[in-house]
Amino acid sequence: MEEKRSAKRIVSIDALRGFDMFWISSGDALFIALFSLIGTPFFHRLSEQLDHPAWTGFHFYDLIFPLFLFIMGVVMPLSITRRIEKGDSKSQLYKHIIRRTLLLFLLGLIYNGLFDFNFEQQRYTGVLQRFAFCYLFASLILMNFRLKGQMIWAASITIGYWLFLLFVPAPGSQPFDLTPEGNIAGYIDRMFLPGSFCCYNHGDNEGILTMFPSVVNVLLGALAGTWLLSSLNDREKIKNLSITGGLFIIAALVWSLILPVNKYLWTGSYMMLTSGISFLLLMIFFWIIDVKGYQKWAFPFIVIGLNPITIYVTQGVFDFAIIANIFIHGFKDNLGSFEPVVMQLSVVTVKWLFLYFLYRQKIFLKV
């Protein structure tokens, strides 16, 4: 029974991907508006979790990006296996990987305003560009190394990046300077990365050097995906995911005593913390949805999770609030303090209905 089910689509992966994308599809703005409406100190602190810290530290919102990379890794073993079973040769797989990488990178440039043709202010890195890089790098590793080799790559990148931060100073700075203005990653961005930066002045949030440790999130996701697709029984799969997640979180907290958790630099402690949480979230979703069979509650997330790149790119080039305003403009100004909540709820609803239409038409953007 276990082997037979592992060949089917693992619904919890789509649901978890949709849960992740919900927060950057105006879910964050909706809950910030709701928490602000309630206005108590507790809910004010909750709203802070839906924004990034100024530099070091960790908020819930810092999980969104690495969780998506982790899920990208989860589906890679299944994707590669399916293509091999269909008869694709290794050269065909390489062509598919390169084509998908280039398309993701191009979509990232378009999202960042490529068609403004302002190349001096164009941002050349970004979320989708990092997806492209991580997908390419992780795919090549998965294609050419067994599980042990993949984990050696993951460990080597993690330790190598830490040692680079530890011993290689930016000119005018000391080794292991992790300040916004003195870190080596920001210096490399300033030297070699054209265009504008986000989201701090001295480098880019998705800059050159920090791409490498983010690949490890994908490789660890591939480890989780290998377990889910294996002949292990459900109890063993859940045990592996939960123990690994717990150990990674503990290791990250200990490591953070000397290497701070920092999303902007994608430090090893940040990578391990987010990977640990990702393992546990995948375990919870898998246990509830695929093992226990409770799927109906997750349907709204599944709709989002089947078209994540579609909604990310579309909301970047089109303002869904325009459509939402058509339906609520006649009464929203009379809602008083409830107006921001209703407005954000309307935007979330319009986005979801757009994705639901694509779902019903079986239109899925696969890049």
Side-chain angles (χ1 to χ4, degrees), residues 11-29 31 49-50 52 58-74 127-128 131 217 263 266 270 274-275 277-279 281-282 285 289 297-309 311-312 315 348 351-352 355:
V11 181
S12 55
I13 297 176
D14 296 323
L16 182 56
R17 189 192 295 113
F19 169 80
D20 191 49
M21 287 301 301
F22 165 78
W23 297 102
I24 51 177
S25 301
S26 298
D28 57 341
F31 276 87
Q49 291 297 314
L50 295 174
H52 301 297
F58 182 79
H59 290 172
F60 169 77
Y61 210 59
D62 296 320
L63 176 65
I64 304 304
F65 193 0
L67 176 58
F68 195 95
L69 291 173
F70 181 88
I71 299 169
M72 177 192 289
V74 172
V127 170
L128 293 176
F131 286 168
N217 291 84
K263 177 186 184 296
W266 213 283
Y270 170 75
T274 55
S275 295
I277 297 173
S278 298
F279 273 110
L281 281 174
L282 179 60
F285 273 65
I289 295 174
W297 69 273
F299 179 71
F301 293 138
I302 293 171
V303 170
I304 301 173
L306 289 171
N307 257 316
I309 301 299
I311 190 59
Y312 183 81
Q315 70 181 8
V348 169
K351 290 181 180 180
W352 189 86
L355 292 176

Side-chain angles (χ1 to χ4, degrees), residues 58-211:
F58 182 79
H59 290 172
F60 169 77
Y61 210 59
D62 296 320
L63 176 65
I64 304 304
F65 193 0
L67 176 58
F68 195 95
L69 291 173
F70 181 88
I71 299 169
M72 177 192 289
V74 172
V75 301
M76 277 186 174
L78 176 60
S79 176
I80 293 174
T81 300
R82 282 179 173 172
R83 287 189 169 273
I84 292 175
E85 289 175 349
K86 285 169 54 180
D88 285 4
S89 65
K90 206 166 187 179
S91 62
Q92 288 175 312
L93 280 170
Y94 283 134
K95 289 178 182 178
H96 169 75
I97 290 168
I98 293 172
R99 183 169 59 248
R100 190 180 188 201
T101 298
L102 293 174
L103 183 54
L104 278 169
F105 195 88
L106 177 60
L107 287 174
L109 292 178
I110 293 172
Y111 183 92
N112 287 349
L114 177 65
F115 294 139
D116 293 336
F117 301 110
N118 185 357
F119 300 116
E120 290 186 2
Q121 294 301 314
Q122 170 77 32
R123 185 179 175 221
Y124 291 95
T125 61
V127 170
L128 293 176
Q129 292 93 320
R130 177 155 295 189
F131 286 168
F133 177 85
C134 290
Y135 172 76
L136 174 62
F137 209 110
S139 295
L140 294 177
I141 292 174
L142 264 62
M143 287 278 294
N144 293 282
F145 295 89
R146 295 184 181 275
L147 187 59
K148 182 179 178 180
Q150 296 165 21
M151 293 303 101
I152 291 174
W153 267 102
S156 299
I157 293 170
T158 302
I159 296 172
Y161 179 55
W162 179 40
L163 293 177
F164 193 87
L165 292 177
L166 189 61
F167 293 113
V168 181
S173 300
Q174 298 297 318
F176 209 52
D177 186 340
L178 303 183
T179 62
E181 57 278 353
N183 71 84
I184 183 63
Y187 172 78
I188 290 175
D189 290 342
R190 296 194 298 273
M191 290 297 100
F192 300 105
L193 189 60
S196 62
F197 295 158
C198 176
C199 298
Y200 74 108
N201 294 330
H202 303 282
D204 195 280
N205 189 44
E206 282 91 33
I208 296 171
L209 189 62
T210 57
M211 286 188 179

Side-chain angles (χ1 to χ4, degrees), residues 2 5 17 79 149 189 207 244 248 274 286 302-303 341 346 354:
E2 299 299 332
R5 187 174 64 199
R17 189 192 295 113
S79 176
D189 290 342
T244 305
F248 266 74
T274 55
F286 175 70
I302 293 171
V303 170
V341 175
S346 301
F354 165 67

